[in-house]
Amino acid sequence: MSALPSGRPWDPDAVASLQDERLRATMRRVASRHPYYRDLLRERGIDPDAVRGTADLPLLPLTGKADFAAAPERFRLEPTGDPADQLWDIAYTSGSTSTPTPIYQAAYDFHAILLAQRRMAEIRGMTSADRIANLYPLTPQPHGAWTRANHAAAALGASVVCGMSGATGWFGVSRRLPEVAELVVASDPTTLWGVPSYLRRVLDEVARQGGRLPSVRMLAVSGEPCTPETADVLAGLTRDLGAREVVVSNSLGASELQCGLVECEPGGGFHNPAPELFHIEAVDDDGRPCAPGTPGRLTLTHLDRRGTVLLRYLLGDVVTVDHGRCPHCGRGGGRVVAYHHRTGSATKVRGQLLDGQVLGRTVERVPGVLEHRATVRWTVPSDPLSGDELVVAVALTAGADAREVVPAVRTAVKRACRVTPLVEVATADEIFPADERMKPRRFLDERASANR
Ligand SMILES: [Zn+2]
């Protein structure tokens, strides 16, 4: 069997045996041609043939982002001269959690990505009849969001128009928000695809221009957490522009996948779209697989790659994974059924442990808040002895009254996080310069940079 069947639910047993077969082949390749894992297997005395299937993965140590970022070239299989091994493209990690790290796609991998993108579309209900507005920005370094959305359209036979926001300014090829909104309206898309906070800016701009988006039926979002409240706001804004039924299709993307785990229906869990290419698992701090229903650290194992190969790689998320059939669509292959948080999202402020994600969700839910950003800083800049403080900047929705929103934010944060913030009003563009950044930075800790 070369791939799992399209259009039919995947049987978990068939998935497991295909994954085992692919993993054995991967172990043979890494033992001979992968500088990092070849050395690691030798140093630790691990027999690659002992890894007979995914159940044996705990024989291998976990790989962290820092291991990969320190020597990305050592995670690339040495090419053999086979056309399948030829370098096709390079994508970088986004760098929101670490320095951008290159991920190498061989020609074989690029074709696998096209398969994964077609599967994502199949699972979330995107078809060749769709007209996609790719609203990911053109980033300075090649990044999987913008490029792969275009490749998805190619694999699907759908049409695509690109917003082309971007910060570099090189050769004047990127577009500003008003131009993006005009282009989106003119192309009458069925699907808007991008980061939730940027989609919101585009929808607001279309409304400001008096434009209509009557054909939009799906908002495909990725790149930052999209709470049910955010999804409702986005769907409501789209309906206000003339759309009828709007589905917000959430996704858990990762550069190391060059695709995303997607929902078959809202709240249905993030499905592994290509279990013959990827194995996902939640593990505890010692690297042991979590019992069913128990949260753990999300790991990724590449099962059939020719460029960059990662085994038991920690993606940096704490999740619950289910390996049974999805109760909604019947697919096996692994689903993230609960997303808990990114690892390391907590920091101490005024002696209190503060989770930046909890803080963000809390502020976002206060009525009248359009954009928000929290900053932790020394009360006197660059003087750690002055003590630290939490500042929450908010931009308001049209018609909201700062005299109501500011105290409401202060009270909500104090209740949820047990730290009383200073609340400041700013413009949406000051908080999130939508023409320049891929996504807003919701939480800044200036104490760290002040120490350097
Ligand atoms: Zn499903």
Side-chain angles (χ1 to χ4, degrees):
M1 184 158 47
S2 63
L4 291 161
S6 269
R8 267 182 291 147
W10 309 320
D11 170 48
D13 291 339
V15 167
S17 83
L18 184 57
Q19 288 191 324
D20 290 350
E21 177 195 316
R22 294 284 163 92
L23 179 60
R24 289 193 293 272
T26 291
M27 290 308 297
R28 286 192 292 274
R29 277 190 294 272
V30 300
S32 64
R33 292 164 43 208
H34 192 290
Y36 180 87
Y37 291 121
R38 183 175 55 206
D39 286 359
L40 184 130
L41 293 170
R42 197 180 297 140
E43 282 161 17
R44 307 225 177 174
I46 301 166
D47 174 7
D49 291 335
V51 181
R52 304 291 304 154
T54 58
D56 301 320
L57 279 172
L59 292 171
L60 305 172
L62 299 170
T63 300
K65 279 192 192 253
D67 300 322
F68 178 37
E73 313 295 331
R74 301 192 69 233
F75 282 83
R76 182 181 175 191
L77 287 178
E78 293 155 352
T80 59
D82 184 326
D85 291 343
Q86 283 171 33
L87 179 63
W88 183 282
D89 69 20
I90 303 175
Y92 286 76
T93 59
S94 69
S96 57
T97 48
S98 56
T99 19
T101 304
I103 297 162
Y104 296 92
Q105 277 66 239
Y108 185 84
D109 305 329
F110 179 70
H111 289 70
I113 289 166
L114 296 179
L115 167 73
Q117 292 290 340
R118 213 166 61 195
R119 291 273 191 70
M120 285 170 67
E122 186 181 305
I123 294 169
R124 71 202 323 189
M126 208 183 270
T127 74
S128 61
D130 277 307
R131 295 184 300 279
I132 298 166
N134 174 3
L135 295 175
Y136 287 117
L138 187 65
T139 44
Q141 72 278 23
H143 184 263
W146 185 82
T147 38
R148 302 309 175 206
N150 294 335
H151 294 149
L156 204 55
S159 58
V160 62
V161 66
C162 295
M164 293 282 282
S165 60
T168 65
W170 296 333
F171 301 103
V173 295
S174 54
R175 282 183 270 272
R176 314 291 292 178
L177 183 60
E179 298 171 275
V180 172
E182 280 172 30
L183 179 64
V184 168
V185 168
S187 66
D188 188 27
T190 61
T191 302
L192 308 184
W193 196 349
V195 176
S197 43
Y198 186 70
L199 290 197
R200 177 163 188 173
R201 295 295 288 278
V202 172
L203 293 169
D204 282 343
E205 179 62 19
V206 170
R208 197 190 65 77
Q209 294 179 2
R212 305 287 287 166
L213 292 172
S215 303
V216 172
R217 62 174 198 86
M218 181 184 289
L219 305 176
V221 296
S222 184
E224 64 182 8
C226 182
T227 59
E229 290 85 357
T230 302
D232 286 347
V233 168
L234 291 173
L237 289 170
T238 313
R239 282 194 299 270
D240 290 346
L241 298 171
R244 291 179 295 274
E245 291 293 308
V246 182
V247 174
V248 177
S249 176
N250 201 357
S251 164
L252 184 58
S255 296
E256 295 84 353
L257 292 164
Q258 290 296 300
C259 68
L261 311 181
V262 288
E263 298 177 314
C264 61
E265 61 176 67
F270 298 109
H271 296 53
N272 176 357
E276 66 269 70
L277 304 176
F278 315 113
H279 177 259
I280 58 166
E281 190 167 45
V283 300
D284 66 18
D285 287 340
D286 297 321
R288 287 182 299 245
C290 292
T294 312
R297 305 163 81 188
L298 179 60
T299 63
L300 162 70
T301 294
H302 289 141
L303 297 173
D304 197 10
R305 254 185 163 262
R306 302 295 185 272
T308 295
V309 178
L310 298 161
L311 304 176
R312 304 201 85 209
Y313 177 76
L314 291 162
L315 283 163
D317 307 282
V318 176
V319 300
T320 306
V321 174
D322 187 301
H323 288 282
R325 281 184 186 277
C326 169
H328 306 288
C329 70
R331 285 183 182 85
R335 277 175 309 135
V336 170
V337 291
Y339 184 88
H340 303 287
H341 55 85
R342 299 272 315 161
T343 40
S345 67
T347 183
K348 276 209 165 176
V349 179
R350 295 189 172 176
Q352 195 67 248
L353 200 61
L354 178 80
D355 187 323
Q357 291 175 14
V358 172
L359 173 67
R361 284 200 296 271
T362 302
V363 177
E364 180 183 295
R365 284 177 184 152
V366 176
V369 171
L370 171 66
E371 273 295 348
H372 59 93
R373 183 186 58 214
T375 308
V376 182
R377 65 186 185 198
W378 304 120
T379 305
V380 176
S382 76
D383 179 6
L385 296 176
S386 64
D388 47 20
E389 62 186 8
L390 173 66
V391 183
V392 175
V394 290
L396 308 184
T397 54
D401 186 343
R403 288 168 300 184
E404 290 169 15
V405 178
V406 167
V409 169
R410 192 183 301 124
T411 306
V413 171
K414 188 179 176 188
R415 189 177 303 141
C417 306
R418 287 173 295 172
V419 177
T420 306
L422 292 171
V423 182
E424 296 173 347
V425 176
T427 67
D429 222 46
E430 283 166 347
I431 294 174
F432 173 30
D435 289 328
E436 294 170 20
R437 290 193 60 83
M438 171 124 174
K439 50 192 175 187
R441 295 173 73 187
R442 299 285 185 206
F443 190 81
L444 303 178
D445 191 344
E446 291 183 347
R447 297 169 304 180
S449 53
N451 276 340
R452 271 184 215 127

